[in-house]
């Protein structure tokens, strides 16, 4: 099988973290592009509201679940596919963001970040990869430009996103051989409930509907990395290849982390 972008005629589109932010907006965008979307998050009421907001009636299937519960996620995918058909495309997006400082050193924020951002993706992969090895499929994982480099207050969040980047890069080798198209999504700052808690200025802040359109375009054309805003992302990519002495000097001056 050839790893290729999936089409609405191939099956369902599963989105985790679909109750708000990028996941919610992407669900609505992809319904407009002809997909039937399975929307997963913990909050059933928010998923029901999303289904009612669908531009096409009955095109969004609310499927509440906690991605940190491996058994429940596997059962959910089994039930959804038995009732509605196979999942051919997935956007694994569920995540949390906790700014952290060195004092007090809050281990709970680290463990929660790892469980949701990394463990949740692994659990979802465990549920959908077996079927896609038979029929083919497309899996996109939402990481972040924060995974390119270490940033102030981002030790927990950035560590999970760096892990996701490495994970998807590594899985692509097997996916290409076995007919599963793996993609990596690395957004910058997007107007979502997660970024609303940031007290600092966010460069190139992007409206969530524009972010969803860019992700949907990238999913359709099959490029490996979907990243935006491109100017901001390229700046961070450049910083990541600099010698550490230069990198830390620039980062401290630009963020005020002295």
């Amino acid at each position: 099988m050839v790893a290729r972008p999936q089409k609405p005629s191939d099956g369902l589109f599963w989105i985790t973290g679909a109750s708000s932010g990028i996941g919610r907006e992407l669900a609505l965008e992809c319904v407009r592009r002809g997909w039937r979307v399975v929307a997963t998050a913990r909050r059933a009421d928010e998923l029901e509201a999303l289904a009612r907001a669908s531009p096409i009636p009955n095109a969004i299937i609310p499927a509440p679940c906690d991605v940190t519960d491996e058994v429940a996620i596997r059962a959910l995918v089994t039930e959804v596919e038995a009732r509605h058909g196979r999942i051919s495309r997935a956007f694994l997006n569920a995540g949390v963001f906790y700014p952290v400082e060195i004092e007090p050193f809050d281990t709970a924020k680290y463990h929660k970040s790892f469980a949701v951002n990394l463990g949740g993706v692994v659990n979802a992969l465990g549920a959908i990869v077996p079927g896609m090895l038979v029929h083919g499929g497309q899996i996109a994982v939402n990481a972040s430009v924060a995974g390119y480099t270490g940033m102030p207050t981002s030790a927990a969040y950035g560590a999970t996103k760096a892990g996701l980047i490495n994970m998807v890069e590594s899985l692509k080798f097997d996916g290409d051989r076995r007919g599963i198209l793996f993609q990596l999504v690395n957004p910058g700052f997007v107007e979502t409930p997660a970024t609303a808690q940031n007290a600092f200025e966010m460069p190139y802040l992007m409206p969530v509907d524009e972010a969803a359109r860019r992700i949907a375009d990238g999913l359709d054309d099959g490029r490996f990395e979907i990243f935006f805003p491109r100017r901001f992302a390229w700046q961070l990519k450049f910083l990541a290849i600099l010698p550490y002495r230069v990198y830390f000097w620039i980062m401290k001056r630009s963020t005020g982390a002295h």
Side-chain angles (χ1 to χ4, degrees):
M1 284 184 295
V2 176
R4 61 171 177 82
Q6 299 290 291
K7 304 183 296 295
S9 58
D10 292 318
L12 303 171
F13 184 4
W14 184 34
I15 299 177
T16 66
S19 62
S20 64
I22 289 174
R24 185 182 195 279
E25 198 64 35
L26 183 63
L28 297 172
E29 175 66 24
C30 288
V31 164
R32 289 189 284 269
R33 298 186 184 212
W35 283 93
R36 195 171 188 208
V37 174
V38 179
T40 291
R42 290 178 301 167
R43 295 174 292 181
D45 57 335
E46 294 290 339
L47 295 178
E48 294 291 345
L50 170 60
R52 291 193 297 272
S54 173
I56 300 175
N58 303 314
I60 295 180
I61 303 166
C65 196
D66 185 342
V67 295
T68 65
D69 187 333
E70 181 179 4
V71 174
I73 281 290
R74 286 180 181 269
L76 176 74
V77 168
T78 299
E79 179 183 358
V80 164
E81 294 195 321
R83 294 182 60 186
H84 303 286
R86 79 177 187 91
I87 293 169
S88 66
R89 177 187 277 186
F91 179 59
L92 306 183
N93 165 70
V96 294
F97 170 59
Y98 299 117
V100 293
E101 303 280 354
I102 199 168
E103 185 181 11
F105 196 90
D106 191 340
T107 58
K109 290 181 178 178
Y110 285 81
H111 290 308
K112 181 65 172 178
S113 299
F114 298 158
V116 177
N117 299 0
L118 279 172
V121 168
V122 171
N123 291 341
L125 289 172
I128 59 173
V129 163
M132 289 188 178
L133 287 172
V134 176
H135 301 288
Q138 179 179 10
I139 301 172
V141 173
N142 196 24
S144 169
V145 299
Y148 293 161
T149 63
M151 299 180 188
T153 74
S154 190
Y157 180 78
T160 65
K161 298 306 183 176
L164 288 176
I165 290 171
N166 188 289
M167 182 190 300
V168 178
E169 289 172 346
S170 300
L171 287 170
K172 184 180 187 302
F173 294 102
D174 281 341
D176 286 348
R177 292 189 302 106
R178 299 296 301 274
I180 302 175
L181 178 65
F182 278 95
Q183 292 175 280
L184 186 61
V185 181
N186 285 323
F189 293 112
V190 178
E191 291 178 343
T192 67
T195 57
Q197 63 184 303
N198 291 339
F200 54 86
E201 183 179 351
M202 291 172 281
Y204 309 106
L205 182 65
M206 180 178 288
V208 69
D209 58 341
E210 174 63 19
R213 282 194 295 272
R214 295 199 186 194
I215 294 171
D217 288 344
L219 295 177
D220 288 344
D221 69 28
R223 77 192 81 156
F224 174 68
E225 186 187 12
I226 305 163
F227 61 95
F228 54 85
R230 297 185 73 83
R231 184 181 301 178
F232 182 49
W234 278 116
Q235 289 173 359
L236 292 176
K237 285 175 179 284
F238 174 72
L239 286 174
I241 66 174
L242 293 175
Y244 276 125
R245 181 185 302 178
V246 179
Y247 165 75
F248 285 121
W249 181 81
I250 293 175
M251 189 61 72
K252 287 177 180 179
R253 285 182 61 87
S254 60
T255 64
H258 296 291

